[in-house]
Amino acid sequence: MITKREFLKAGSAALALPFGMGLLLSHAADGVIELRAQAVEMPVTSGSSVASPLWLYNGETPGPEIRVRQGDRVRVRFFNDLKVPTSIHWHGIRIDNAMDGVPGLTQKPVLPGERFDYDFIVPDAGTFWYHAHFDGFQQVARGLYGALIVEESDAVFAPDREITLILDDWWIEQDGSFADGFEDYLQGKQGGRIGNVITINGESLDSSRTVKAGAWHRLRLINAANARIFHLDVSQLAGRLLALDGFAIEPREIDELVLAPAQRADFSFRLEAGQRTSVLDASGTLGKPNDNGGSTTVFCFEGDAAGTNPNNVEPTLRKAILPDPNLDKALRVPLLMQGGSLSSVQKAVYAGAIRTREQLNEEQQVWTFNGIANLPKEPLFSVPVGTSVIIEMQNKTGWQHPMHVHGHHFKVIKGNSSRPSDVWQDTVLVGRMSDLQIAFVADNPGKWLLHCHLLQHAVSGMRTWFEVTT
Ligand code: C2O
Ligand code: CU
């Protein structure tokens, strides 16, 4: 068996980023980016020689990083080489609805052997990602995701001063197979599919990366895990938090970062020659405590020996200007979240009919929004474009839920989201047994999903949709 590193070396001739990812640029060749979903037997981490049955974009984990410019037209020619249907969702992009990649709502699934051309404009600069959105619970867990970086049109940072790290965890057996064959129903009633192998860009925990001493770096973090909420101690990073979910914020120093599934965070940092800095696990759950301070290192950086000061400046980002919702005139939409293990729900609507608790269990529909499991026929709400909307989430479950709105960014106006409240975000962690309100202007016409990004929760009930009409 060859290791993943050898496999990658043998395989692709893609342009290499410093940290192991292939790179696709929209201004390459004819401007069309080619992505293929493929089944590949390959180890999950570098250094391991046990292969897993992965499903990957262009045979890489993570999938190739797509880098485009703000305002660009992005054209992706997508081929499905898998034996199952799939689609691609461009997470966090305020995208044209027809290109949002949601089978059943915005497009037909891309069948085995078929092709779909995605073609859209990226209105905002920032750190985004793309992932499969058909049976996402399994397809994302098998590796169908990658970074989508939209550069500022006036960026001052060359790509080698940028680092994208995708965090993931994989639940695999000793022999490399995926645990439970994606059928563990009990786990889905609880915290979802939490893996036993953690990877940072396909490397294992504690891998060190050498960076240019004296230079300011922009670090982009993406949580692609199905269910794991990363708690990172970033106090040693000695940098500043620049953006959340792609959008610039007032830069600030923070000690701890909670990164729920699908969320992103950007930092600036700079190291002296030979200086080493580690980002640690603050949850105490990622591995065995080690000798250096007692806590597990998630990843670390080391300044190279160059010693010269490249004399660049700390990244500063321009804030995106999104319309602020009018809270007095907004449509208020209650969203009652129920279900999971220990739930008292006795009946709920599923696929148009009222079901008993037993029937719901059989169908593996164990979570509800407003008493409905999974996508209802009628939208949660339908509003003319330009309407301000407040969604009043009431989480009556014993679990946390990273709630994601498609096609829009929102602000949290009430409740604790473990993030500063004045920022635009597309995915918010709603605490167990707590209330949280988000507000946004529904200004993107079409049919949009609103779902839990704990992907097993989504597939077993936590999905609804809304409509913005013209
Ligand atoms: Cu990243 Cu519908 O999700
Ligand atoms: Cu959830």
Side-chain angles (χ1 to χ4, degrees):
M1 189 79 249
I2 58 168
T3 66
K4 177 177 167 187
R5 206 174 267 131
E6 289 157 352
F7 181 96
L8 286 177
K9 233 188 274 158
S12 82
L15 248 133
L17 270 185
F19 300 113
M21 264 187 262
L23 175 63
L24 293 170
L25 304 163
S26 69
H27 34 275
D30 58 353
V32 178
I33 291 167
E34 199 175 291
L35 280 184
R36 271 177 195 278
Q38 301 168 317
V40 183
E41 292 272 339
M42 185 172 113
V44 155
T45 58
S46 295
S48 161
S49 57
V50 182
S52 296
L54 308 183
W55 295 349
L56 304 174
Y57 292 116
N58 296 6
E60 295 172 36
T61 163
E65 175 169 309
I66 298 178
R67 286 192 91 94
V68 296
R69 281 271 154 78
Q70 181 172 17
D72 270 1
R73 174 176 172 198
V74 181
R75 284 184 292 164
V76 177
R77 178 148 296 177
F78 171 57
F79 297 90
N80 181 8
D81 294 347
L82 299 172
K83 293 196 175 79
V84 292
T86 188
S87 70
I88 306 180
H89 170 58
W90 313 92
H91 186 115
I93 303 290
R94 297 189 299 139
I95 202 168
D96 172 14
N97 189 248
M99 295 293 131
D100 198 39
V102 181
L105 207 61
T106 69
Q107 69 168 90
K108 293 203 186 91
V110 186
L111 298 177
E114 285 194 345
R115 186 184 112 193
F116 190 92
D117 288 337
Y118 290 97
D119 185 344
F120 54 92
I121 305 283
V122 284
D124 307 301
T127 303
F128 303 98
W129 65 302
Y130 62 96
H131 62 80
H133 214 297
F134 183 91
D135 186 16
F137 159 56
Q138 173 169 188
Q139 297 196 352
V140 176
R142 283 184 187 265
L144 284 172
Y145 59 78
L148 171 56
I149 304 302
V150 185
E151 296 172 349
E152 288 73 16
S153 26
D154 52 358
V156 276
F157 290 89
D160 72 331
R161 304 286 154 78
E162 289 215 8
I163 301 166
T164 307
L165 296 183
I166 304 190
L167 285 61
D168 193 6
D169 67 348
W170 313 69
W171 192 28
I172 43 183
E173 307 282 6
Q174 294 276 321
D175 66 0
S177 62
F178 281 95
D180 92 345
F182 299 99
E183 274 155 14
D184 185 347
Y185 156 63
L186 272 181
Q187 196 193 30
K189 281 179 111 171
Q190 304 184 15
R193 189 182 180 88
I194 303 284
N196 55 353
V197 176
I198 293 158
T199 55
I200 317 292
N201 284 6
E203 306 276 341
S204 43
L205 285 178
D206 202 9
S207 44
S208 178
R209 293 163 171 86
T210 304
V211 300
K212 183 132 202 66
W216 279 104
H217 285 76
R218 177 174 182 174
L219 170 65
R220 304 172 184 262
L221 299 179
I222 301 170
N223 182 357
N226 266 41
R228 184 181 292 276
I229 298 162
F230 285 90
H231 293 256
L232 302 176
D233 173 349
V234 292
S235 56
Q236 284 186 34
L237 194 58
R240 296 199 293 171
L241 180 66
L242 299 179
L244 288 167
D245 286 1
F247 280 61
I249 63 168
E250 206 54 62
R252 62 197 88 192
E253 279 170 31
I254 60 166
D255 288 332
E256 193 176 321
L257 174 74
V258 178
L259 201 65
Q263 290 188 324
R264 288 90 63 213
D266 293 29
F267 290 87
S268 60
F269 75 95
R270 178 164 68 168
L271 293 179
E272 304 308 323
Q275 191 188 349
R276 192 183 158 93
T277 190
S278 300
V279 169
L280 306 172
D281 166 38
S283 71
T285 60
L286 291 196
K288 293 184 204 76
N290 58 25
D291 350 293
N292 95 62
S295 121
T296 306
T297 300
V298 182
F299 52 86
C300 56
F301 301 114
E302 204 169 326
D304 66 12
T308 55
N309 188 343
N311 194 30
N312 63 2
V313 284
E314 183 176 4
T316 49
L317 306 175
R318 223 178 319 103
K319 282 209 186 162
I321 310 204
L322 263 57
D324 262 313
N326 180 335
L327 299 184
D328 299 328
K329 293 213 172 118
L331 174 73
R332 289 182 170 268
V333 182
L335 190 77
L336 178 64
M337 305 158 64
Q338 289 174 296
S341 63
L342 308 180
S343 131
S344 58
V345 173
Q346 292 307 321
K347 54 178 192 282
V349 172
Y350 173 59
I354 296 174
R355 316 288 173 120
T356 64
R357 190 184 176 89
E358 289 68 37
Q359 289 169 326
L360 292 165
N361 269 310
E362 251 162 59
E363 302 273 8
Q364 307 206 351
Q365 295 298 315
V366 293
W367 302 93
T368 59
F369 288 157
N370 295 348
I372 304 171
N374 234 308
L375 287 192
K377 261 211 192 76
E378 298 300 320
L380 176 67
F381 60 89
S382 175
V383 290
V385 69
T387 309
S388 293
V389 177
I390 297 173
I391 300 182
E392 305 175 333
M393 302 186 214
Q394 272 190 290
N395 179 6
K396 296 289 189 198
T397 79
W399 308 94
Q400 307 180 75
H401 305 284
M403 294 290 289
H404 170 46
V405 178
H406 279 220
H408 297 78
H409 274 240
F410 54 77
K411 279 183 176 168
V412 172
I413 57 166
K414 205 169 163 204
N416 180 6
S417 75
S418 77
R419 287 178 151 193
S421 62
D422 55 331
V423 304
W424 294 108
Q425 45 191 320
D426 57 50
T427 307
V428 64
L429 189 58
V430 183
R432 44 182 75 94
M433 297 304 284
S434 61
D435 296 351
L436 188 137
Q437 297 186 2
I438 61 170
F440 60 97
V441 179
D443 56 0
N444 198 354
K447 296 174 175 177
W448 302 104
L449 273 193
L450 161 61
H451 67 93
C452 177
H453 219 288
L454 220 144
L455 296 172
Q456 202 166 18
H457 289 182
V459 77
S460 50
M462 291 201 132
R463 306 197 304 156
T464 188
W465 62 287
F466 62 95
E467 187 174 33
V468 182
T469 59
T470 48

